[in-house]
Amino acid sequence: MTRTKTLSFLTVAASGALLAACAVGPQAPAADLPVAGTGAFVGSASTTVSTAQARDDWWRLYDDPTLDGLIRQAFAENNELEAAFANLRAVRASLSEARVGRFPTTTTSAQAQRSRASAATSSVLEADGKAPEIDTYDVGLSASYEVDLFGRVESTIRAARADARAAEAALATVQVSVAAETARAYADACSANAQIAVAERTLGLQRNTAQLTQTLLDGGAGTGLDVASARAALAQTAATLPTLRASRNEALYRLATLTGVTPAEASQAAAACVRPPQLSQPIPVGDGAALLARRPDVRQAEANLAAAAARVNVATANLYPQISLGGSLGSTAQDSGELGDDQNFRFSFGPLISWSFPNVFAARAQIKAADARSDAALATFDQTVLTALQETETALSNYANELDRRAALTEARDQAARAANLSRQRFNAGADSFLLVLDAERTQAAADAALAQSDALVTTYQIALFRALAGGWQADS
């Protein structure tokens, strides 16, 4: 009769639990993408880009073996990447731990104990008035299994699985950053060398001019003003070299850190590079939908949202009873040789229902907190999507406009060089003063420097665009 009542109670409890489980926890908030952000980019109308699928191995578009080697070295040796890989392994281990909740937990035990009770409480006393010493041996095995009627275990696993996806995306974000920063450091070193070369050519020209003014002065045909002006222009150009050399060294040291070596081991090939990497084709950028699918920060935000929603389910499940099935078997004897005797065998089994009903207000507070974190994760996802689109459109705009600026600067440099050449010819013919020559040479030097800086910015904006497009996290593809 007792057994019948117990089974009847469990049947009713299980039926009620199954009905309640249908309503435990909300669905994950919808991570919708803005329709206007999934089409063609605003900046894709430029002829400098194409709507072809963006490249993961974008640095190979430069066709630069030195850059290829540096990217490979960075992926193999970068310490931030190593830390991100380690973090991913840790999160995956936590996922494995969460999955254990699907299975029974088992415990084995073995005990040997000698004890003696107080004479005041013992029913048997020895001749000396003390209670006898008793040896007790015990071996056993116990097991328990949580019946996940309300989805607590599965929600915990979903949260851990989402955490693993977020860690994978975080690793990909680091890979994107490492690829882009390595290319940028290399390009910065090359650009600094190119600007140094321009400054040195200008110095050579201005040094010849200063010598000419001194010769004219010595011959009685020049003036002290001409000499001072020529030397001032020479000194101004010379003053730019230390800054450019410092910029080159900073880029080389940054490159060394990215590739996992000390500054003393910085790439000699990068140090000798005299021209920033060049593209010979439009940059493939795809469209907004492809961008949002490939951006690891968007995928990380989506995974964090899924994890937060799953933890709302976990908190909600805590409102309901936890039902476990458990049992144990073993043997207890006063002599180790008697542990296998039938009369010393013991066992127990049955359900266990635990319910923190009086503490329901704390559980509801936990649900509210988890729900708020889910709302925050949704807002973070929406913001990450908008930021991804903004970064890409900004990079497209910067790149296209700098190309236009470089074209104008190229024309300005060509005209300045022509004007300087004509001014020298007119001075030699006695038609112009030497101050006009100096002014024309200063204009040419400024035009050369501005064009070299624009060349550097073009490459910088190219790499910024590649980074916004999230290339580099599938380096083996």
Side-chain angles (χ1 to χ4, degrees):
M1 184 67 177
T2 302
R3 182 181 180 188
T4 302
K5 288 183 178 179
T6 302
L7 291 177
S8 176
F9 167 76
L10 289 176
T11 301
V12 173
S15 300
L18 287 172
L19 290 173
C22 298
V24 168
Q27 296 295 319
D32 295 327
L33 299 176
V35 176
T38 58
F41 296 117
V42 175
S44 63
S46 171
T47 57
T48 61
V49 299
S50 74
T51 56
Q53 182 64 35
R55 291 272 296 266
D56 290 325
D57 57 346
W58 52 266
W59 55 89
R60 294 195 173 98
L61 294 173
Y62 288 108
D63 195 22
D64 188 326
T66 299
L67 178 58
D68 292 346
L70 290 169
I71 295 288
R72 283 195 301 271
Q73 183 178 352
F75 277 131
E77 303 295 339
N78 184 269
N79 292 305
E80 288 186 73
L81 271 179
E82 185 176 349
F85 274 115
N87 290 335
L88 176 58
R89 291 197 302 271
V91 174
R92 284 175 173 170
S94 297
L95 173 59
S96 298
E97 180 183 1
R99 284 172 172 162
V100 172
R102 289 174 172 167
F103 307 102
T105 59
T106 59
T107 303
T108 59
S109 62
Q111 179 180 359
Q113 178 178 329
R114 171 165 289 188
S115 63
R116 184 177 67 187
S118 169
T121 59
S122 177
S123 59
V124 180
L125 298 177
E126 295 182 342
D128 57 3
K130 297 179 179 179
E133 294 183 354
I134 300 174
D135 291 333
T136 304
Y137 300 88
D138 183 90
V139 294
L141 171 68
S142 62
S144 65
Y145 173 71
E146 181 177 349
V147 182
D148 193 28
L149 294 178
F150 304 101
R152 187 187 69 83
V153 173
E154 282 302 318
S155 295
T156 301
I157 294 173
R158 285 203 310 274
R161 189 181 296 119
D163 286 341
R165 294 200 306 272
E168 290 170 357
L171 168 62
T173 298
V174 177
Q175 289 175 311
V176 168
S177 176
V178 167
E181 289 303 311
T182 300
R184 190 167 72 89
Y186 172 67
D188 286 350
C190 296
S191 297
N193 279 335
Q195 292 176 69
I196 289 171
V198 169
E200 288 177 341
R201 286 197 302 271
T202 301
L203 273 177
L205 178 63
Q206 291 174 335
R207 192 175 290 113
N208 291 336
T209 300
Q211 290 173 353
L212 175 60
T213 59
Q214 184 64 50
T215 300
L216 291 173
L217 179 62
D218 293 342
T223 67
L225 177 62
D226 292 342
V227 173
S229 298
R231 289 178 177 175
L234 178 63
Q236 286 176 341
T237 302
T240 64
L241 283 173
T243 301
L244 292 173
R245 289 173 182 143
S247 296
R248 177 193 59 196
N249 292 340
E250 185 273 337
L252 289 173
Y253 300 154
R254 182 158 35 97
L255 182 60
T257 300
L258 287 162
T259 53
V261 299
T262 66
E265 302 169 288
S267 169
Q268 294 303 307
C273 175
V274 294
R275 185 188 185 196
Q278 304 291 311
L279 287 178
S280 59
Q281 59 181 294
I283 296 177
V285 297
D287 57 20
L291 169 75
L292 297 177
R294 68 189 278 111
R295 286 270 300 214
D297 54 344
V298 174
R299 294 185 298 108
Q300 183 178 4
E302 186 177 14
N304 287 335
L305 174 60
R311 290 189 171 96
V312 175
N313 296 135
V314 173
T316 305
N318 289 334
L319 282 174
Y320 301 94
Q322 290 187 18
I323 301 175
S324 299
L325 301 177
S328 66
L329 56 88
S331 178
T332 304
Q334 293 184 349
D335 188 288
S336 60
E338 297 175 354
L339 287 173
D341 295 350
D342 291 342
Q343 66 272 19
N344 294 328
F345 178 74
R346 59 177 173 78
F347 71 90
S348 67
F349 64 90
L352 172 64
I353 300 177
S354 61
W355 192 359
S356 301
F357 182 80
N359 204 24
V360 67
F361 296 107
R364 292 193 181 280
Q366 292 170 0
I367 293 172
K368 289 181 180 179
D371 203 21
R373 285 189 285 268
S374 179
D375 290 342
L378 178 58
T380 299
F381 172 81
D382 291 340
Q383 182 63 25
T384 303
V385 168
L386 294 178
T387 300
L389 294 170
Q390 174 255 315
E391 288 178 352
T392 304
E393 293 288 8
T394 299
L396 283 165
S397 176
N398 287 342
Y399 177 47
N401 283 289
E402 190 58 37
L403 285 176
D404 291 341
R405 178 172 176 267
R406 185 176 68 175
L409 288 173
T410 300
E411 175 65 16
R413 188 274 317 271
D414 292 344
Q415 293 301 323
R418 181 170 179 271
N421 184 52
L422 290 174
S423 181
R424 291 188 201 98
Q425 292 178 7
R426 289 176 61 82
F427 171 75
N428 292 334
D432 283 340
S433 71
F434 194 72
L435 290 178
L436 292 177
V437 175
L438 289 176
D439 185 63
E441 288 182 349
R442 277 195 294 267
T443 301
Q444 181 184 3
D448 284 337
L451 181 57
Q453 291 173 354
S454 181
D455 284 337
L457 274 177
V458 165
T459 304
T460 296
Y461 288 145
Q462 286 171 352
I463 295 171
L465 177 56
F466 286 128
R467 181 173 186 163
L469 294 171
W473 65 274
Q474 293 177 332
D476 296 330
S477 62

